[in-house]
Structure formats: structure tokens, C-alpha cells
Amino acid sequence: MKNITILPADTYIVVNKTVLHEEDRRILTLLYQPIIGYTAISLYFTLVDDLDTVNCTSNDLNHHHLMSSMQLRLEDIMIAREKLEATGLLKTYFKKGNVNNYVYLLYSPLSANDFFNHPILNVVLYNNIGKKEYDKRQEIFKIPRIRLTDYEDISCKFNEVFKCSNLKPFEVIEDIEKRTEAKIELNNIIDFNLLISSIPTGLVSNRCFNEETKSLINNLALIYDIDTERMSGLVRTSLNEKGLIDKALLRKNCRNYYRFDNVGALPTLVYQRQPEYLKKPSGDTSNWAKMVYTFENTSPFDYLKSKYKGAEPTKRDLQLIEELMIDQKLSAGVVNVLISYALKINNQKLNRNYLETIAGQWKRLNIETVEEAMRLTEKEYKKMKKIAQTSKPKKETKKKVTEEILPDWFNKELDTDNSNKEDNEELSKIIDSLV
């Protein structure tokens, strides 16, 4: 939007670009108002009332008229106007002069069906009013379902009733009023050239990325705050056997991704990275610091994926990590430590009961940073080992096996070259992918 100073003396006319029905008022009040607010809806209706008797255009008016009618400051009216523009209910055109002139084009709201299926408006409404009110509004606009399976359709066809003869040619009149619904316009959130090139050509059909699909992807990227790289992965997991995007599945995948990041709320915590204020200060170049850096700057999804040697983690493991982050509200870096520790101790298995027990303990101890989690796991392991040694005879073979499965930060000086070569190589790959 251009930064233009507006004055009360500036004039405007309203042009109706659609056909407004009484049902539109219900949709605006019940569905749009919780999103853009009462003032924006009031401005919309005020502009409708400015239309002349034939309901097409208004007379020349000035913005002082709006201020008087709505009893609002001009600044508040402009904020309301921007909300109408953002949701596609209004388009504004400007012409500079001694007195600036504006043209306001009015558009209909989306139908209830289109609104509840819109990738942005639907989600925002749900978040703003909650599930209970959302369900109530859905019920208001639902149409009754009548079972017609036992009935036969006996309706007449047009040509069974009418016959055409002696028709004269005529010119088609284009300037007839028609219903034009709101259309939300976005800047490009996704780099589609990069997105398309990142997906192997053999996986997708030539018809996969049409304009409708691109619009959906861009909308989902905005509402769920997804960048091009992550959207590429979500698109790949949403492809069907025909190489086309399953739109319902893509919506679900994006929604789940976001819910992880926002503790179960809608517009995935396993994709979240460690908050900046919980990170270790930079400057230390030891292997210990490198391990801390990796845990802090890698999302649990990407860290778990590295353990799968680049393959996608199983849905079970992802769901388990998601639940831990949502239920226990552990930070991303701390969860990475938990993943690493659990895999080492349990022979590369993520055991639900074990993870839940450790996560609960860490939450009660208020473990927030990566270093706190690493120190605590080392301390707890040594405690358990000491108990085991006092209750059972020492066995050299058992001790050897135990040492082999220890995480990298246990009983080692990580700033030396004694750490496991394979783990160091894997660590280096992860770090390289972050810079």
C-alpha cells in the first residue's frame, strides 16, 4: 500500500462491483467481523448506504462525511479501510489533485461455503472465536440434508418444455450487473521456481502446479508461516499416485506443522528451533560447543531426520515428539538432547514410556537450555550406573557394552579428537547444513 496522506476534504465515490444480498449481511457480521472487527464492517455498510438509488455508484462525497457518519477519527477509518482491502471486500483507486480523489469499489463477501473452505479466513476465524462459537456458526449456515436415494428425478429438461423458432440475432450486453465475490490478494510467499525445481520431475505431473494450486500453497504458506524449503517437503508428502497434490492432505499437513510450533494452537513444534534467549553465547570452538550449537540450531524434525540418514521420520516418531513438545512444552533444543540420549540408551529406539518419563522430570526441573539437559543426562546416568554397580557384580563385558552406547558428551573431553568418528562426521554434516 502506498503511503498517502488523506485529508477530510479529499473526495470519494463508491462503485458497486457486485450484487449484494441480505445473506451477505449475515456472512459479514458472523464470519468476517470476528476477523476484521466491528469498525471495518461498519465502514463497509456505510459505503453501501452511500450508493445511490440504482445501487451502482454514489455521488461525490468527502471523507468528512464519513467521519461525521461514523463518529470516528479519519485515522481509524483508514485502518478499517485497509482491513476491508486486505480481505478483498474493497479496492481503492487514487488520483492526485488539488483535492485528492478516491474511488472505492465494493465486492461481495465469499459465500459461507467458500469462506469455511478458505485456507486463510477459515483458520483465522477458528482461532479468533474458539471451537464452540465456530461450530455454532457452521450450524447456522448448514443446509439440511434430505435423503433422495428412494426417489426418482422426474424434472423436465429445457428442450422438453420449450421449442426455439424464428430467432433473431442480437448483441450481447456485457455491462450487466453481476455478483463478484471478494478475492484476497497476496504477495508471493513461496518461490515457486525453487519449489518446483526441488521436487524430482518423476514425482509430479505436468498439471500439478496450476494457478489454483499455487494460490492454495501461497495461502497456506502465509497462514502457517512456512518457507519455501519446508513447503517443498510438505508438498512431496501430499502427492497422490497421479502425481497431483491432494489439497485436503496438504492443508492437513500444513496445519499439523503449525500446531507443533504453536503448542497445539491453529494459525509444528517439532519444526521449531531453540529460542535465541536460551542459546549458548558464540565463541567456543570445542566439540562440546559444536554439539550444543547443533542441538540449538536444528529443529527436532531435522535432527530426527538426520538419524534416519536423510529419510523422512516415521509418523509414529513424529507424533511422539510432537506430543512431548505440546504436552510438556519443552524447548526444541532440549528435545533434541532427549532424542539423542534416548536413541543411544535404547538401541536407536524411541520408547514412548521412557521419553515421557524423562520429559516429565525435565519439565519439573525446569530444564530450558541445551547445556542443562546435557549436564543432567550425564549426571542421571552416572547415578544409575553407580546404583547398578553396588547391587550387581561388575562384569567387564557389560561395562564395555554400556560405554559404547553412551552419548557423545558422556565421560569424554569433547574438545579432543577422542570422540566417535562417525558421530563427528554426522555432526559436521548437520552443522554445515545450518550455515
Side-chain angles (χ1 to χ4, degrees), residues 307-367:
K307 297 300 182 181
Y308 276 77
K309 308 303 179 185
E312 291 291 321
T314 64
K315 290 183 179 179
R316 174 197 170 276
D317 285 354
L318 282 177
Q319 183 178 359
L320 176 56
I321 299 304
E322 174 193 358
E323 290 173 0
L324 286 177
M325 299 188 77
I326 291 175
D327 295 341
Q328 303 299 336
K329 297 181 176 59
L330 297 177
S331 67
V334 170
V335 170
N336 285 335
V337 178
L338 179 55
I339 293 171
S340 178
Y341 180 57
L343 289 174
K344 289 282 188 178
I345 295 297
N346 294 302
N347 193 27
Q348 298 302 310
K349 296 178 183 177
L350 290 180
N351 182 283
R352 175 180 289 273
N353 291 335
Y354 183 81
L355 284 169
E356 289 178 345
T357 300
I358 300 299
Q361 178 201 26
W362 289 7
K363 185 61 181 177
R364 290 190 295 274
L365 293 173
N366 197 31
I367 301 299

Side-chain angles (χ1 to χ4, degrees), residues 243-257:
L244 300 174
I245 295 174
D246 183 330
K247 294 182 176 64
L249 180 58
L250 179 61
R251 287 175 183 244
K252 180 180 179 182
N253 289 338
C254 291
R255 182 173 65 249
N256 289 341
Y257 172 94

Side-chain angles (χ1 to χ4, degrees), residues 12-18 20 47 50-51 55-59 89-91 93 102-107:
Y12 72 90
I13 62 170
V14 183
V15 178
N16 189 6
K17 296 293 290 183
T18 186
L20 295 168
L47 294 176
D50 283 338
L51 295 168
N55 207 37
C56 291
T57 60
S58 71
N59 297 318
L89 295 169
L90 183 72
K91 274 187 176 293
Y93 288 82
Y102 293 81
V103 176
Y104 295 139
L105 307 184
L106 283 176
Y107 292 84

Side-chain angles (χ1 to χ4, degrees), residues 306-307 309 421-430:
S306 74
K307 297 300 182 181
K309 308 303 179 185
K421 182 178 179 181
E422 181 181 347
D423 284 341
N424 270 338
E425 290 176 353
E426 182 180 332
L427 173 60
S428 297
K429 289 179 181 178
I430 298 174

